[in-house]
Amino acid sequence: MGEEELPTTQTGPKGVINDWRKFKLESVDQDSLPPSKRELLRQMSTQKPKEGGQDRGHRKMSTQEYELIKEEDEKHLRKYRKQCMQEMRERLSFGPTFEGVQELESGEAFLEVIEKEHQLATVVVHIYEDRVKGCEALNSCFTCLAAEYPSVKFCKIKASSTGAADRFSDDVLPTILVYKSGELLGNFLCATQHLNEEIFAVDVEAFLNEYGLLPQKDFNPAGAEEEEADVE
């Protein structure tokens, strides 16, 4: 199955401004705007290029348009930047990105994640049971790490849901399994034995890094936004 073609964005200052304007107009909750602004948005989004090839991106921006853009909160700007960064990562073949920890409901779902995930993606699976000490803490650590390593797919599955509960009895839980391209890279039974009594995300991160199982940490989005602000 071929890769889905990504949308082409314009480059250069005018292209970036027009891309951002288009993205923002599509993101605004128009129902929440007063009628005057709603009408302005409609005009901005439906106005056609003038004859002779002069499109509206080359004319001066009206005061109303400028104020409307200026008023837009940073939430949309962060969302736009995130989308651009996501597209750039995929264009450069860095592989997919993920959000949060995926709960696997069955052994079939477990196998599918291992066998069908993108070959560049590392998959880290926590096999747990609520009644086993350390499992809840490790699940919380996975949530933190998933936010810091979006290129890693963090998953969790109850031992009783794997279809192989006899292999994952309480005395070997919590278990951490690490895969890439369908190959098992790490198999850590009773993972809490390798960690401190109180488990923190930094401890799990350091442990996995000992075995070279995590990629280089993605840069800090907040820091990146500050750099982008300086460029602008």
Side-chain angles (χ1 to χ4, degrees):
M1 182 176 178
E3 292 186 1
E4 182 178 338
E5 185 175 347
L6 294 168
T8 302
T9 56
Q10 301 180 59
T11 58
K14 288 183 179 178
V16 171
I17 290 171
N18 289 334
D19 282 346
W20 158 237
R21 181 186 295 175
K22 181 176 182 294
F23 177 87
K24 180 165 54 95
L25 290 174
E26 292 172 350
S27 301
V28 169
D29 181 4
Q30 299 197 23
D31 292 336
S32 66
L33 294 174
S36 59
K37 287 189 177 181
R38 196 180 311 139
E39 175 61 19
L40 178 57
L41 281 173
R42 186 191 67 77
Q43 293 174 7
M44 290 174 67
S45 60
T46 60
Q47 184 171 350
K48 296 181 179 179
K50 297 180 180 179
E51 293 182 4
Q54 288 291 329
D55 67 32
R56 61 185 309 282
H58 290 81
R59 68 169 174 79
K60 290 184 178 180
M61 187 184 299
S62 72
T63 302
Q64 278 185 306
E65 290 173 341
Y66 175 76
E67 289 299 326
L68 185 59
I69 289 176
K70 187 177 179 181
E71 286 176 7
E72 196 62 46
D73 60 37
E74 289 190 5
K75 175 182 176 182
H76 292 98
L77 182 56
R78 286 196 298 268
K79 185 177 178 182
Y80 175 70
R81 285 173 173 163
K82 181 178 179 181
Q83 175 179 302
C84 291
M85 287 162 52
Q86 168 88 3
E87 291 176 1
M88 182 60 71
R89 287 177 60 88
E90 294 181 359
R91 283 179 183 277
L92 296 176
S93 299
F94 289 166
T97 56
F98 310 95
E99 291 187 4
V101 180
Q102 180 180 349
E103 178 81 41
L104 306 176
E105 303 291 346
S106 65
E108 289 76 12
F110 176 61
L111 291 176
E112 184 171 347
V113 162
I114 296 169
E115 296 173 355
K116 297 185 179 181
E117 191 49 72
H118 194 289
Q119 62 179 358
L120 294 177
T122 299
V123 180
V124 184
V125 183
H126 174 210
I127 301 178
Y128 75 101
E129 286 292 350
D130 293 328
R131 61 180 176 272
V132 176
K133 183 179 179 181
C135 287
E136 182 178 356
L138 198 52
N139 277 334
S140 297
C141 292
F142 267 43
T143 299
C144 295
L145 293 177
E148 296 188 28
Y149 292 89
S151 61
V152 176
K153 185 161 192 172
F154 287 90
C155 305
K156 60 182 180 179
I157 183 171
K158 287 189 174 182
S160 54
S161 299
T162 62
D166 55 327
R167 294 178 56 191
F168 297 111
S169 55
D170 289 0
D171 59 332
V172 300
L173 300 181
T175 289
I176 298 176
L177 305 177
V178 184
Y179 296 87
K180 191 168 186 177
S181 298
E183 180 183 353
L184 180 64
L185 302 181
N187 180 12
F188 305 104
L189 304 177
C190 200
T192 48
Q193 292 184 354
H194 305 281
L195 303 166
N196 297 324
E197 186 172 341
E198 287 188 74
I199 307 173
F200 297 99
V202 290
D203 301 320
V204 180
E205 179 183 33
F207 173 69
L208 293 174
N209 274 326
E210 269 186 54
Y211 294 87
L213 296 174
L214 290 178
Q216 185 175 354
K217 184 181 292 187
D218 287 14
F219 58 86
N220 185 342
E225 287 187 5
E226 289 176 4
E227 289 180 10
E228 288 178 357
D230 292 338
V231 172
E232 294 170 356

